[in-house]
Amino acid sequence: MSRATIAEWMHITITLPSVQYALFRCLESGNPQDPATNHGPSINLSGNDNTVSPGYYVVLSANGEPLDIIITEEKAIPRSVSYNLSNPDPNQQIAAFRQRVRERDECCVVPGTRVPPGIYDAFEGAHIFPVAHLDLWRSGQWSQRIEDDFPDVGDSKIHSIQNGILLLSHAHTYFDKYRIAINPDDNFKITCFVEDYLGFDGRHMVFRGDSPERYQPLWGLLKYHFRMAVLCNMKARGPEYDWDEDITPGMDPVAEISNSKEGKLRFELIMAERLNSLVAK
């Protein structure tokens, strides 16, 4: 991880101006007992692509004095895995969203795995901004940033191709759970926030170069998702981000959802997603 990346994550989670704090390497071996006084010089983070060495670090004032760090109260919006919207559905807007994302991307945009000719079994059209939060989409006036001129995109435009990317099913789950995110400010580099068994981290999002800008994924939406992922993982993940999505045939899905941690919130999200996918115009 680069020093510039650390600086960006700190800027998202700490409310103080970045000139008021700095990062210092702890000098004690093992778990530091006195990091406020036993540390090295401040580390230059801004615009620095050098890799951060593993170890313990402390955030202090710019001149190395103890500092009250204020963490933002902003939280990542919880979201459920939205793979159900990629399955056959009578809603015209959802069907058009799925088909247009497939035709534009032709591969999983994260690892770049190509779609076998006409076989989309393992590929899913993912919404960058979740349909369950249609109210936040509207209050954030995202529709005004969408340039997609497709006739059936609707007034809300939440089903625009600019709010969609094609992902393999496991990548889709990681994306919805904020385990991976795409940073458009860093050449669309992919960050994996957990142990990277699937080889996502450090890759770059794959684009179709022949697709007009008005049909490409919206930079601002990817940036928003990246911010949510940083908040989710830097501020400690809550149970609302780690629901077990493996509800196998024969199990009671309502009981499984209701009995999970934050079951009420989870049930509300799933219902909101399904209803909003139908009412979004």
Side-chain angles (χ1 to χ4, degrees), residues 190-221:
I190 299 157
T191 295
C192 182
F193 294 91
V194 295
E195 192 72 26
D196 189 27
Y197 294 110
L198 300 174
F200 293 127
D201 196 67
R203 296 181 181 229
H204 293 267
M205 180 178 170
V206 177
F207 283 93
R208 277 279 301 276
D210 59 346
S211 181
E213 186 70 23
R214 64 183 180 276
Y215 303 140
Q216 294 282 10
L218 189 67
W219 177 93
L221 289 172

Side-chain angles (χ1 to χ4, degrees), residues 141-161:
Q141 299 181 329
W142 286 104
S143 64
Q144 297 182 18
R145 311 185 199 185
I146 298 295
E147 299 177 349
D148 183 4
D149 57 3
F150 187 70
D152 292 329
V153 76
D155 293 333
S156 76
K157 300 184 180 180
I158 198 167
H159 295 308
S160 164
I161 193 175

Side-chain angles (χ1 to χ4, degrees), residues 45-62:
L45 297 176
S46 181
N48 192 327
D49 291 329
N50 291 332
T51 302
V52 177
S53 301
Y56 289 91
Y57 295 82
V58 61
V59 179
L60 301 169
S61 69

